Amino acid sequence: VLIGKSSSESKAPIAPRTPPNLMMSSVSLISPMPIAAPVVILGAALAVGFAGSGSAWGIGLANEAAAGIMTEDPKKFGYALVLLALPGTQGIYGLLVAVLAMQKSGLLGGDVALTGWQGRGICFACLPIAIVGFYSAIWQGKSSAASILMIAKRPDQIGKAVILPAMCETYAVFGLLISILLLNGIQL
C-alpha cells in the first residue's frame, strides 16, 4: 500500500529511469568483435618482425667474421656460407607462424568470425616464436661467428663448427613448436 492513496489506487512502484548516457549496452563475450582481426595481425607482425630482426642481427654478426676470414683465404667462403645461413632460420620460423595465424583467422581467405578472445589467443600464440626466435638468432649469430673463426684455423673441424651454433637452434625449434601447438589448440 502506498501512502496517501487508497488500496484500490495502489499500483506497483515505477522503476526510476536511467538517463540514456548511463545505460549499459549488452556485449556478449561470444559475439564477433571487430578488434579480433587487428589483434591477429599484430601477433603475426610480432612473429615476423622479432624473429626476422633477430635473424638479420645474427647473420650480420656472422658476416663480420666471415668477411674477416675471406680476406685472408677466399676459398673458405663455402664453409662460412653454411654457418652464415644458420641464424636465418628463425626468420623463416616466424614467417611460418605468421602465415598459420593469418590462415587460422581467415585473413588469407575464408569466412571465419573470430571473437575477441580468439583473436587474442592467436596473437599470444605468436609470441613464443617472436621472443625465442629473436634472442636465439642473435646468440646463434654469435656462435656462428666463433665457429667461422674456428674454421679459419682448422677447416677440417667444419662438422663441429656447425654443431655449436645448431645448439641455439634447438630453442628456436621449441618456440616454433609451442606456437604451432597453441595455434592448433584455439577452437574456432
Side-chain angles (χ1 to χ4, degrees), residues 84-175:
L84 284 172
L86 288 175
T89 57
Q90 284 85 337
I92 296 168
Y93 299 160
L95 177 64
L96 174 65
V97 168
V99 169
L100 290 174
M102 291 186 300
Q103 181 182 15
K104 183 162 191 96
S105 68
L107 290 173
L108 296 180
D111 189 24
V112 179
L114 295 177
T115 65
W117 290 109
Q118 290 167 329
R120 287 183 199 101
I122 293 172
C123 178
F124 291 144
C126 294
L127 293 181
I129 192 58
I131 297 166
V132 176
F134 178 75
Y135 287 109
S136 68
I138 294 169
W139 286 103
Q140 191 171 28
K142 291 179 180 185
S143 182
S144 290
S147 292
I148 289 169
L149 295 176
M150 182 175 90
I151 62 165
K153 295 187 185 248
R154 305 277 312 267
D156 59 317
Q157 299 297 313
I158 185 67
K160 292 176 185 172
V162 171
I163 290 173
L164 296 174
M167 298 307 291
C168 298
E169 184 80 20
T170 305
Y171 296 96
V173 172
F174 291 161

Side-chain angles (χ1 to χ4, degrees), residues 2 10 58 69-70 72 81 93 109 114 121 125 136 142 144 150 182:
L2 296 173
S10 66
I69 69 161
M70 286 188 294
E72 294 182 18
L81 184 61
Y93 299 160
L114 295 177
S136 68
K142 291 179 180 185
S144 290
M150 182 175 90
L182 288 171

